[in-house]
Amino acid sequence: MCGTSKHRTFFVGITAWMSICLFVVGFFPDLGILFSKSWLLTGAIGIIASIGMANILTMEVRYNASLIRHHEMLAVTDVLTNLLNRRGFDHQLERLIGERQNAVSESPQVFLALVDVDHFKDVNDECGHPVGDKMLEFVARVLYELVPEKSVVCRIGGDEFAILFVDQSPLQVAAILKDMKVAIDRETGNREDLVHSTISIGVTQFQTEDDYQSILQRADRALYRTKLSGRNRITFR
């Protein structure tokens, strides 16, 4: 596609150049009135056509660029919840790790929270996948609405979500996660179209020596400890 666009751009440029030459030559009196008018008319038509083709080509290039951006967005977006998917999460996590490793001055605090919907398999088994999907959409919306600016919410698989908190203190992270937990517990218990559910959360803070695996494993261990201790809780590690 890129090669075709280059060829068409080259063709439009050549056409415009030849048309301008014809138009200019048409002003020479030695050609005679008939030839002068013919060349002037031909050149004018060519210039107008070149401008039209250039506009069409520009719009096509912009459309193709927009289409590429759209497909890139779809590649990192979860279809059900419209949150970032696992690929999008990986990209964001690796970006934050890179920024911290390359930071000249002190970088902002970053926390990773893993969130599981408690006993979600039972919801799917007993109520069906449509109800399960509705539950996931609801949980995703609560997390997204309560997450602060600069932070990112992702659905990384099944009923598991990840939140990257940026530029937040430990107390702020704990308060936000508590609000999320309370909101899901309360709303799912009050609404007839949802199944009463709770969430389990494991949280860890980025350390200077962390890489992708270490930060993710530590958050996963925190989440595992939450489940062992009875679920519907928040564990920092």
Short mmCIF file of all heavy atoms in Angstrom, two decimals, residues 164-231:
data_model
loop_
_atom_site.label_atom_id
_atom_site.label_comp_id
_atom_site.label_asym_id
_atom_site.label_seq_id
_atom_site.Cartn_x
_atom_site.Cartn_y
_atom_site.Cartn_z
N LEU A 164 -2.96 -0.29 37.25
CA LEU A 164 -1.66 0.35 37.43
C LEU A 164 -1.90 1.75 37.98
O LEU A 164 -2.41 2.62 37.28
CB LEU A 164 -0.90 0.40 36.11
CG LEU A 164 -0.38 -0.94 35.58
CD1 LEU A 164 0.02 -0.82 34.11
CD2 LEU A 164 0.79 -1.43 36.41
N PHE A 165 -1.58 1.94 39.26
CA PHE A 165 -1.74 3.25 39.90
C PHE A 165 -0.46 4.05 39.73
O PHE A 165 0.62 3.58 40.10
CB PHE A 165 -2.03 3.09 41.40
CG PHE A 165 -3.38 2.52 41.70
CD1 PHE A 165 -3.56 1.17 41.94
CD2 PHE A 165 -4.50 3.35 41.76
CE1 PHE A 165 -4.81 0.65 42.23
CE2 PHE A 165 -5.75 2.84 42.06
CZ PHE A 165 -5.92 1.50 42.29
N VAL A 166 -0.59 5.24 39.18
CA VAL A 166 0.57 6.09 38.93
C VAL A 166 0.42 7.38 39.73
O VAL A 166 -0.63 8.02 39.72
CB VAL A 166 0.71 6.42 37.43
CG1 VAL A 166 1.93 7.31 37.18
CG2 VAL A 166 0.80 5.14 36.61
N ASP A 167 1.51 7.73 40.43
CA ASP A 167 1.55 8.99 41.17
C ASP A 167 0.52 9.02 42.30
O ASP A 167 -0.14 10.04 42.51
CB ASP A 167 1.34 10.16 40.21
CG ASP A 167 2.06 11.42 40.68
OD1 ASP A 167 2.85 11.32 41.62
OD2 ASP A 167 1.81 12.49 40.10
N GLN A 168 0.38 7.90 43.01
CA GLN A 168 -0.53 7.80 44.15
C GLN A 168 0.23 7.28 45.36
O GLN A 168 1.15 6.48 45.23
CB GLN A 168 -1.69 6.85 43.83
CG GLN A 168 -2.55 7.26 42.66
CD GLN A 168 -3.42 8.46 42.96
OE1 GLN A 168 -4.08 8.50 43.98
NE2 GLN A 168 -3.41 9.44 42.07
N SER A 169 -0.15 7.74 46.54
CA SER A 169 0.48 7.27 47.77
C SER A 169 -0.15 5.94 48.19
O SER A 169 -1.24 5.59 47.72
CB SER A 169 0.28 8.31 48.88
OG SER A 169 -1.09 8.34 49.28
N PRO A 170 0.49 5.19 49.09
CA PRO A 170 -0.10 3.94 49.57
C PRO A 170 -1.48 4.15 50.18
O PRO A 170 -2.39 3.32 49.97
CB PRO A 170 0.91 3.46 50.61
CG PRO A 170 2.21 4.05 50.18
CD PRO A 170 1.87 5.38 49.60
N LEU A 171 -1.65 5.23 50.94
CA LEU A 171 -2.96 5.49 51.56
C LEU A 171 -4.02 5.79 50.51
O LEU A 171 -5.17 5.35 50.63
CB LEU A 171 -2.84 6.67 52.54
CG LEU A 171 -2.07 6.40 53.84
CD1 LEU A 171 -2.00 7.67 54.69
CD2 LEU A 171 -2.73 5.27 54.63
N GLN A 172 -3.64 6.52 49.48
CA GLN A 172 -4.60 6.81 48.41
C GLN A 172 -5.00 5.54 47.66
O GLN A 172 -6.17 5.33 47.36
CB GLN A 172 -3.98 7.83 47.43
CG GLN A 172 -3.87 9.23 47.98
CD GLN A 172 -3.09 10.16 47.05
OE1 GLN A 172 -2.07 9.78 46.47
NE2 GLN A 172 -3.58 11.39 46.91
N VAL A 173 -4.02 4.69 47.36
CA VAL A 173 -4.30 3.43 46.67
C VAL A 173 -5.23 2.57 47.52
O VAL A 173 -6.22 2.01 47.01
CB VAL A 173 -2.99 2.67 46.37
CG1 VAL A 173 -3.29 1.27 45.87
CG2 VAL A 173 -2.17 3.44 45.34
N ALA A 174 -4.96 2.46 48.80
CA ALA A 174 -5.79 1.65 49.68
C ALA A 174 -7.22 2.18 49.75
O ALA A 174 -8.18 1.41 49.72
CB ALA A 174 -5.17 1.63 51.09
N ALA A 175 -7.36 3.51 49.81
CA ALA A 175 -8.69 4.11 49.89
C ALA A 175 -9.48 3.88 48.61
O ALA A 175 -10.68 3.56 48.64
CB ALA A 175 -8.57 5.61 50.17
N ILE A 176 -8.83 4.01 47.46
CA ILE A 176 -9.51 3.82 46.17
C ILE A 176 -9.95 2.36 46.01
O ILE A 176 -11.08 2.07 45.60
CB ILE A 176 -8.58 4.23 45.00
CG1 ILE A 176 -8.31 5.73 45.05
CG2 ILE A 176 -9.21 3.84 43.66
CD1 ILE A 176 -7.16 6.17 44.17
N LEU A 177 -9.06 1.44 46.34
CA LEU A 177 -9.39 0.02 46.23
C LEU A 177 -10.52 -0.36 47.18
O LEU A 177 -11.39 -1.17 46.83
CB LEU A 177 -8.16 -0.83 46.51
CG LEU A 177 -7.05 -0.78 45.44
CD1 LEU A 177 -5.81 -1.51 45.92
CD2 LEU A 177 -7.54 -1.33 44.11
N LYS A 178 -10.52 0.22 48.36
CA LYS A 178 -11.62 -0.04 49.31
C LYS A 178 -12.94 0.46 48.74
O LYS A 178 -13.97 -0.23 48.85
CB LYS A 178 -11.34 0.63 50.65
CG LYS A 178 -12.40 0.35 51.69
CD LYS A 178 -12.07 1.02 53.03
CE LYS A 178 -13.18 0.76 54.04
NZ LYS A 178 -12.90 1.42 55.35
N ASP A 179 -12.92 1.65 48.12
CA ASP A 179 -14.15 2.18 47.50
C ASP A 179 -14.64 1.26 46.39
O ASP A 179 -15.85 1.03 46.25
CB ASP A 179 -13.88 3.58 46.93
CG ASP A 179 -13.72 4.63 48.02
OD1 ASP A 179 -14.12 4.37 49.17
OD2 ASP A 179 -13.18 5.72 47.70
N MET A 180 -13.72 0.72 45.60
CA MET A 180 -14.09 -0.20 44.53
C MET A 180 -14.73 -1.46 45.12
O MET A 180 -15.78 -1.92 44.63
CB MET A 180 -12.85 -0.59 43.71
CG MET A 180 -12.26 0.53 42.89
SD MET A 180 -10.71 0.02 42.10
CE MET A 180 -10.35 1.46 41.08
N LYS A 181 -14.10 -1.99 46.15
CA LYS A 181 -14.59 -3.23 46.78
C LYS A 181 -15.98 -3.02 47.38
O LYS A 181 -16.89 -3.85 47.19
CB LYS A 181 -13.59 -3.67 47.86
CG LYS A 181 -13.86 -5.04 48.43
CD LYS A 181 -12.73 -5.49 49.33
CE LYS A 181 -12.72 -4.71 50.61
NZ LYS A 181 -13.91 -5.02 51.46
N VAL A 182 -16.16 -1.91 48.07
CA VAL A 182 -17.45 -1.62 48.71
C VAL A 182 -18.54 -1.40 47.65
O VAL A 182 -19.67 -1.88 47.79
CB VAL A 182 -17.33 -0.39 49.62
CG1 VAL A 182 -18.71 0.09 50.08
CG2 VAL A 182 -16.46 -0.71 50.83
N ALA A 183 -18.20 -0.67 46.60
CA ALA A 183 -19.18 -0.37 45.55
C ALA A 183 -19.67 -1.64 44.87
O ALA A 183 -20.87 -1.80 44.62
CB ALA A 183 -18.57 0.59 44.52
N ILE A 184 -18.77 -2.56 44.56
CA ILE A 184 -19.16 -3.81 43.89
C ILE A 184 -19.99 -4.68 44.83
O ILE A 184 -21.01 -5.25 44.43
CB ILE A 184 -17.91 -4.54 43.40
CG1 ILE A 184 -17.28 -3.76 42.24
CG2 ILE A 184 -18.25 -5.97 42.96
CD1 ILE A 184 -15.92 -4.25 41.81
N ASP A 185 -19.58 -4.76 46.08
CA ASP A 185 -20.32 -5.54 47.07
C ASP A 185 -21.74 -4.98 47.24
O ASP A 185 -22.73 -5.72 47.23
CB ASP A 185 -19.58 -5.51 48.40
CG ASP A 185 -20.17 -6.46 49.44
OD1 ASP A 185 -21.17 -7.13 49.14
OD2 ASP A 185 -19.64 -6.51 50.56
N ARG A 186 -21.85 -3.66 47.38
CA ARG A 186 -23.15 -3.03 47.61
C ARG A 186 -24.06 -3.11 46.39
O ARG A 186 -25.22 -3.52 46.49
CB ARG A 186 -22.95 -1.57 48.01
CG ARG A 186 -24.24 -0.83 48.34
CD ARG A 186 -24.00 0.63 48.65
NE ARG A 186 -23.43 1.34 47.51
CZ ARG A 186 -22.22 1.88 47.50
NH1 ARG A 186 -21.44 1.78 48.56
NH2 ARG A 186 -21.78 2.51 46.42
N GLU A 187 -23.53 -2.71 45.24
CA GLU A 187 -24.37 -2.63 44.03
C GLU A 187 -24.84 -4.00 43.56
O GLU A 187 -25.99 -4.17 43.15
CB GLU A 187 -23.61 -1.92 42.91
CG GLU A 187 -23.37 -0.44 43.15
CD GLU A 187 -24.68 0.32 43.27
OE1 GLU A 187 -25.61 0.04 42.49
OE2 GLU A 187 -24.77 1.19 44.16
N THR A 188 -23.95 -4.99 43.59
CA THR A 188 -24.37 -6.32 43.14
C THR A 188 -25.38 -6.93 44.10
O THR A 188 -26.19 -7.78 43.71
CB THR A 188 -23.17 -7.27 42.99
OG1 THR A 188 -22.49 -7.37 44.26
CG2 THR A 188 -22.21 -6.78 41.92
N GLY A 189 -25.34 -6.51 45.37
CA GLY A 189 -26.31 -7.01 46.34
C GLY A 189 -27.66 -6.35 46.23
O GLY A 189 -28.67 -6.92 46.63
N ASN A 190 -27.69 -5.13 45.67
CA ASN A 190 -28.93 -4.37 45.58
C ASN A 190 -29.65 -4.50 44.24
O ASN A 190 -30.85 -4.23 44.15
CB ASN A 190 -28.67 -2.88 45.84
CG ASN A 190 -28.25 -2.63 47.29
OD1 ASN A 190 -28.58 -3.41 48.17
ND2 ASN A 190 -27.52 -1.54 47.52
N ARG A 191 -28.95 -4.91 43.21
CA ARG A 191 -29.54 -4.96 41.87
C ARG A 191 -30.01 -6.37 41.53
O ARG A 191 -29.28 -7.35 41.71
CB ARG A 191 -28.54 -4.47 40.82
CG ARG A 191 -28.30 -2.97 40.90
CD ARG A 191 -27.23 -2.50 39.94
NE ARG A 191 -27.40 -3.00 38.60
CZ ARG A 191 -26.67 -2.58 37.55
NH1 ARG A 191 -25.74 -1.64 37.74
NH2 ARG A 191 -26.87 -3.07 36.36
N GLU A 192 -31.23 -6.46 41.00
CA GLU A 192 -31.81 -7.76 40.66
C GLU A 192 -31.20 -8.35 39.39
O GLU A 192 -31.26 -9.57 39.18
CB GLU A 192 -33.32 -7.64 40.49
CG GLU A 192 -34.06 -7.26 41.77
CD GLU A 192 -35.55 -7.20 41.57
OE1 GLU A 192 -35.99 -7.39 40.42
OE2 GLU A 192 -36.28 -6.96 42.55
N ASP A 193 -30.63 -7.49 38.54
CA ASP A 193 -30.07 -7.98 37.28
C ASP A 193 -28.63 -8.47 37.44
O ASP A 193 -28.02 -8.94 36.48
CB ASP A 193 -30.12 -6.89 36.21
CG ASP A 193 -29.34 -5.65 36.62
OD1 ASP A 193 -29.29 -5.34 37.83
OD2 ASP A 193 -28.79 -4.98 35.73
N LEU A 194 -28.09 -8.37 38.66
CA LEU A 194 -26.73 -8.83 38.91
C LEU A 194 -26.72 -9.88 40.02
O LEU A 194 -27.66 -10.00 40.79
CB LEU A 194 -25.83 -7.65 39.32
CG LEU A 194 -25.66 -6.52 38.30
CD1 LEU A 194 -24.86 -5.37 38.92
CD2 LEU A 194 -24.96 -7.03 37.03
N VAL A 195 -25.64 -10.61 40.10
CA VAL A 195 -25.45 -11.61 41.15
C VAL A 195 -24.55 -11.01 42.22
O VAL A 195 -23.50 -10.43 41.91
CB VAL A 195 -24.81 -12.89 40.58
CG1 VAL A 195 -24.59 -13.90 41.70
CG2 VAL A 195 -25.68 -13.48 39.48
N HIS A 196 -24.97 -11.13 43.46
CA HIS A 196 -24.16 -10.55 44.53
C HIS A 196 -22.76 -11.14 44.52
O HIS A 196 -22.59 -12.35 44.60
CB HIS A 196 -24.83 -10.81 45.89
CG HIS A 196 -24.10 -10.16 47.02
ND1 HIS A 196 -24.05 -10.69 48.28
CD2 HIS A 196 -23.37 -9.01 47.06
CE1 HIS A 196 -23.34 -9.91 49.06
NE2 HIS A 196 -22.91 -8.88 48.35
N SER A 197 -21.77 -10.27 44.41
CA SER A 197 -20.39 -10.72 44.30
C SER A 197 -19.47 -9.77 45.06
O SER A 197 -19.82 -8.62 45.33
CB SER A 197 -19.95 -10.78 42.83
OG SER A 197 -20.71 -11.71 42.11
N THR A 198 -18.29 -10.27 45.35
CA THR A 198 -17.24 -9.47 45.97
C THR A 198 -15.97 -9.63 45.15
O THR A 198 -15.91 -10.45 44.23
CB THR A 198 -16.98 -9.92 47.42
OG1 THR A 198 -16.65 -11.32 47.41
CG2 THR A 198 -18.22 -9.70 48.29
N ILE A 199 -14.97 -8.85 45.50
CA ILE A 199 -13.69 -8.95 44.78
C ILE A 199 -12.55 -9.14 45.77
O ILE A 199 -12.61 -8.68 46.91
CB ILE A 199 -13.42 -7.72 43.89
CG1 ILE A 199 -13.44 -6.43 44.73
CG2 ILE A 199 -14.40 -7.66 42.74
CD1 ILE A 199 -13.03 -5.18 43.93
N SER A 200 -11.52 -9.84 45.32
CA SER A 200 -10.29 -10.01 46.09
C SER A 200 -9.19 -9.24 45.38
O SER A 200 -9.11 -9.23 44.15
CB SER A 200 -9.90 -11.49 46.18
OG SER A 200 -10.86 -12.20 46.95
N ILE A 201 -8.31 -8.59 46.17
CA ILE A 201 -7.31 -7.70 45.60
C ILE A 201 -5.95 -7.97 46.22
O ILE A 201 -5.82 -8.13 47.44
CB ILE A 201 -7.68 -6.22 45.83
CG1 ILE A 201 -9.09 -5.94 45.29
CG2 ILE A 201 -6.66 -5.30 45.17
CD1 ILE A 201 -9.62 -4.56 45.65
N GLY A 202 -4.94 -8.04 45.36
CA GLY A 202 -3.55 -8.10 45.80
C GLY A 202 -2.79 -6.93 45.22
O GLY A 202 -2.89 -6.64 44.03
N VAL A 203 -2.01 -6.24 46.06
CA VAL A 203 -1.33 -5.01 45.64
C VAL A 203 0.15 -5.05 45.99
O VAL A 203 0.52 -5.57 47.04
CB VAL A 203 -1.95 -3.76 46.32
CG1 VAL A 203 -1.51 -2.49 45.61
CG2 VAL A 203 -3.44 -3.87 46.41
N THR A 204 0.96 -4.48 45.12
CA THR A 204 2.37 -4.32 45.43
C THR A 204 2.88 -3.02 44.82
O THR A 204 2.30 -2.51 43.84
CB THR A 204 3.19 -5.51 44.89
OG1 THR A 204 4.51 -5.46 45.44
CG2 THR A 204 3.28 -5.48 43.37
N GLN A 205 3.94 -2.50 45.40
CA GLN A 205 4.54 -1.26 44.92
C GLN A 205 5.78 -1.55 44.09
O GLN A 205 6.55 -2.45 44.41
CB GLN A 205 4.90 -0.35 46.09
CG GLN A 205 5.45 1.01 45.67
CD GLN A 205 5.72 1.93 46.86
OE1 GLN A 205 5.53 1.53 48.01
NE2 GLN A 205 6.15 3.14 46.60
N PHE A 206 5.97 -0.78 43.03
CA PHE A 206 7.16 -0.94 42.21
C PHE A 206 8.41 -0.66 43.04
O PHE A 206 8.47 0.31 43.79
CB PHE A 206 7.13 0.05 41.04
CG PHE A 206 6.36 -0.44 39.85
CD1 PHE A 206 5.23 -1.21 40.00
CD2 PHE A 206 6.76 -0.10 38.57
CE1 PHE A 206 4.50 -1.65 38.91
CE2 PHE A 206 6.05 -0.53 37.48
CZ PHE A 206 4.92 -1.30 37.64
N GLN A 207 9.42 -1.51 42.88
CA GLN A 207 10.74 -1.31 43.48
C GLN A 207 11.74 -1.00 42.37
O GLN A 207 11.52 -1.33 41.20
CB GLN A 207 11.17 -2.55 44.26
CG GLN A 207 10.16 -3.03 45.30
CD GLN A 207 9.90 -2.00 46.37
OE1 GLN A 207 10.80 -1.25 46.75
NE2 GLN A 207 8.67 -1.95 46.87
N THR A 208 12.84 -0.38 42.75
CA THR A 208 13.83 0.05 41.75
C THR A 208 14.34 -1.10 40.91
O THR A 208 14.56 -0.98 39.71
CB THR A 208 15.02 0.73 42.46
OG1 THR A 208 14.53 1.80 43.27
CG2 THR A 208 16.01 1.28 41.45
N GLU A 209 14.52 -2.26 41.55
CA GLU A 209 15.11 -3.40 40.84
C GLU A 209 14.08 -4.26 40.12
O GLU A 209 14.42 -5.28 39.51
CB GLU A 209 15.88 -4.28 41.84
CG GLU A 209 15.01 -4.99 42.88
CD GLU A 209 14.62 -4.10 44.05
OE1 GLU A 209 14.98 -2.90 44.03
OE2 GLU A 209 13.97 -4.61 44.99
N ASP A 210 12.80 -3.87 40.15
CA ASP A 210 11.74 -4.70 39.56
C ASP A 210 11.85 -4.78 38.04
O ASP A 210 12.20 -3.81 37.37
CB ASP A 210 10.36 -4.14 39.92
CG ASP A 210 9.83 -4.71 41.23
OD1 ASP A 210 10.16 -5.86 41.54
OD2 ASP A 210 9.09 -3.99 41.92
N ASP A 211 11.51 -5.96 37.51
CA ASP A 211 11.27 -6.12 36.08
C ASP A 211 9.83 -6.62 35.92
O ASP A 211 9.07 -6.69 36.89
CB ASP A 211 12.27 -7.09 35.44
CG ASP A 211 12.26 -8.47 36.10
OD1 ASP A 211 11.28 -8.81 36.80
OD2 ASP A 211 13.23 -9.22 35.89
N TYR A 212 9.48 -6.96 34.69
CA TYR A 212 8.10 -7.36 34.40
C TYR A 212 7.67 -8.55 35.26
O TYR A 212 6.60 -8.54 35.88
CB TYR A 212 7.97 -7.71 32.91
CG TYR A 212 6.61 -8.22 32.50
CD1 TYR A 212 5.62 -7.36 32.07
CD2 TYR A 212 6.32 -9.59 32.55
CE1 TYR A 212 4.37 -7.83 31.70
CE2 TYR A 212 5.08 -10.07 32.19
CZ TYR A 212 4.11 -9.18 31.75
OH TYR A 212 2.88 -9.65 31.39
N GLN A 213 8.50 -9.58 35.32
CA GLN A 213 8.13 -10.80 36.03
C GLN A 213 8.06 -10.59 37.54
O GLN A 213 7.14 -11.08 38.21
CB GLN A 213 9.14 -11.92 35.71
CG GLN A 213 9.06 -12.44 34.28
CD GLN A 213 7.72 -13.10 33.99
OE1 GLN A 213 7.06 -13.61 34.88
NE2 GLN A 213 7.32 -13.08 32.72
N SER A 214 9.01 -9.87 38.09
CA SER A 214 9.07 -9.74 39.55
C SER A 214 7.87 -8.95 40.10
O SER A 214 7.28 -9.35 41.11
CB SER A 214 10.37 -9.06 39.97
OG SER A 214 10.46 -7.73 39.46
N ILE A 215 7.50 -7.86 39.44
CA ILE A 215 6.37 -7.07 39.93
C ILE A 215 5.07 -7.84 39.80
O ILE A 215 4.20 -7.81 40.66
CB ILE A 215 6.30 -5.71 39.19
CG1 ILE A 215 5.18 -4.84 39.77
CG2 ILE A 215 6.08 -5.88 37.70
CD1 ILE A 215 5.45 -4.31 41.12
N LEU A 216 4.94 -8.57 38.69
CA LEU A 216 3.71 -9.34 38.46
C LEU A 216 3.60 -10.51 39.44
O LEU A 216 2.53 -10.78 39.98
CB LEU A 216 3.68 -9.84 37.02
CG LEU A 216 2.33 -10.27 36.45
CD1 LEU A 216 1.32 -9.13 36.53
CD2 LEU A 216 2.48 -10.75 35.02
N GLN A 217 4.71 -11.18 39.70
CA GLN A 217 4.69 -12.32 40.63
C GLN A 217 4.39 -11.86 42.05
O GLN A 217 3.66 -12.55 42.78
CB GLN A 217 6.04 -13.04 40.57
CG GLN A 217 6.24 -13.84 39.30
CD GLN A 217 7.64 -14.44 39.20
OE1 GLN A 217 8.48 -14.23 40.09
NE2 GLN A 217 7.90 -15.17 38.13
N ARG A 218 4.91 -10.72 42.45
CA ARG A 218 4.66 -10.23 43.80
C ARG A 218 3.19 -9.84 43.98
O ARG A 218 2.59 -10.12 45.02
CB ARG A 218 5.57 -9.05 44.10
CG ARG A 218 5.75 -8.80 45.59
CD ARG A 218 6.95 -7.96 45.91
NE ARG A 218 6.90 -6.64 45.30
CZ ARG A 218 7.71 -6.24 44.31
NH1 ARG A 218 8.62 -7.07 43.83
NH2 ARG A 218 7.61 -5.03 43.83
N ALA A 219 2.61 -9.20 42.97
CA ALA A 219 1.19 -8.86 43.04
C ALA A 219 0.33 -10.12 43.05
O ALA A 219 -0.68 -10.19 43.75
CB ALA A 219 0.81 -7.97 41.86
N ASP A 220 0.75 -11.12 42.28
CA ASP A 220 0.00 -12.38 42.23
C ASP A 220 0.06 -13.11 43.57
O ASP A 220 -0.94 -13.70 44.01
CB ASP A 220 0.57 -13.27 41.12
CG ASP A 220 -0.35 -14.43 40.77
OD1 ASP A 220 -1.52 -14.17 40.44
OD2 ASP A 220 0.10 -15.59 40.85
N ARG A 221 1.20 -13.05 44.25
CA ARG A 221 1.31 -13.67 45.57
C ARG A 221 0.42 -12.94 46.58
O ARG A 221 -0.17 -13.56 47.47
CB ARG A 221 2.76 -13.68 46.04
CG ARG A 221 3.63 -14.71 45.32
CD ARG A 221 4.93 -14.95 46.06
NE ARG A 221 5.77 -13.77 46.08
CZ ARG A 221 6.68 -13.48 45.16
NH1 ARG A 221 6.87 -14.31 44.12
NH2 ARG A 221 7.42 -12.40 45.26
N ALA A 222 0.34 -11.63 46.44
CA ALA A 222 -0.54 -10.86 47.33
C ALA A 222 -1.99 -11.24 47.12
O ALA A 222 -2.77 -11.39 48.07
CB ALA A 222 -0.34 -9.36 47.09
N LEU A 223 -2.37 -11.41 45.85
CA LEU A 223 -3.74 -11.83 45.55
C LEU A 223 -4.00 -13.23 46.09
O LEU A 223 -5.08 -13.51 46.64
CB LEU A 223 -3.97 -11.79 44.03
CG LEU A 223 -5.34 -12.27 43.54
CD1 LEU A 223 -6.46 -11.42 44.12
CD2 LEU A 223 -5.39 -12.23 42.01
N TYR A 224 -3.04 -14.12 45.95
CA TYR A 224 -3.19 -15.49 46.46
C TYR A 224 -3.37 -15.49 47.97
O TYR A 224 -4.19 -16.24 48.52
CB TYR A 224 -1.95 -16.31 46.06
CG TYR A 224 -2.00 -17.75 46.50
CD1 TYR A 224 -2.90 -18.65 45.94
CD2 TYR A 224 -1.14 -18.21 47.50
CE1 TYR A 224 -2.94 -19.98 46.35
CE2 TYR A 224 -1.17 -19.53 47.92
CZ TYR A 224 -2.08 -20.41 47.34
OH TYR A 224 -2.12 -21.72 47.75
N ARG A 225 -2.63 -14.62 48.66
CA ARG A 225 -2.77 -14.53 50.11
C ARG A 225 -4.16 -14.02 50.49
O ARG A 225 -4.74 -14.46 51.48
CB ARG A 225 -1.69 -13.61 50.66
CG ARG A 225 -1.71 -13.49 52.17
CD ARG A 225 -0.49 -12.75 52.68
NE ARG A 225 0.73 -13.50 52.44
CZ ARG A 225 1.94 -13.07 52.81
NH1 ARG A 225 2.06 -11.90 53.42
NH2 ARG A 225 3.01 -13.80 52.57
N THR A 226 -4.70 -13.10 49.70
CA THR A 226 -6.05 -12.61 49.95
C THR A 226 -7.06 -13.74 49.85
O THR A 226 -7.96 -13.87 50.69
CB THR A 226 -6.42 -11.51 48.92
OG1 THR A 226 -5.53 -10.41 49.07
CG2 THR A 226 -7.85 -11.03 49.12
N LYS A 227 -6.91 -14.59 48.86
CA LYS A 227 -7.85 -15.70 48.68
C LYS A 227 -7.72 -16.71 49.81
O LYS A 227 -8.73 -17.26 50.29
CB LYS A 227 -7.60 -16.37 47.33
CG LYS A 227 -7.95 -15.49 46.14
CD LYS A 227 -7.67 -16.20 44.82
CE LYS A 227 -8.04 -15.34 43.63
NZ LYS A 227 -7.76 -16.00 42.34
N LEU A 228 -6.50 -16.95 50.26
CA LEU A 228 -6.30 -17.90 51.36
C LEU A 228 -6.91 -17.38 52.67
O LEU A 228 -7.35 -18.18 53.51
CB LEU A 228 -4.80 -18.16 51.57
CG LEU A 228 -4.10 -19.07 50.55
CD1 LEU A 228 -2.63 -19.21 50.92
CD2 LEU A 228 -4.77 -20.44 50.49
N SER A 229 -6.94 -16.06 52.81
CA SER A 229 -7.42 -15.48 54.07
C SER A 229 -8.92 -15.24 54.07
O SER A 229 -9.45 -14.64 55.01
CB SER A 229 -6.67 -14.18 54.36
OG SER A 229 -6.90 -13.23 53.32
N GLY A 230 -9.62 -15.68 53.03
CA GLY A 230 -11.08 -15.59 53.04
C GLY A 230 -11.71 -14.75 51.96
O GLY A 230 -12.93 -14.60 51.93
N ARG A 231 -10.93 -14.18 51.06
CA ARG A 231 -11.43 -13.37 49.94
C ARG A 231 -12.10 -12.07 50.43
O ARG A 231 -12.17 -11.83 51.63
CB ARG A 231 -12.40 -14.17 49.05
CG ARG A 231 -11.79 -15.45 48.48
CD ARG A 231 -12.81 -16.24 47.69
NE ARG A 231 -12.28 -17.54 47.30
CZ ARG A 231 -11.65 -17.78 46.15
NH1 ARG A 231 -11.47 -16.82 45.29
NH2 ARG A 231 -11.20 -19.00 45.88
#
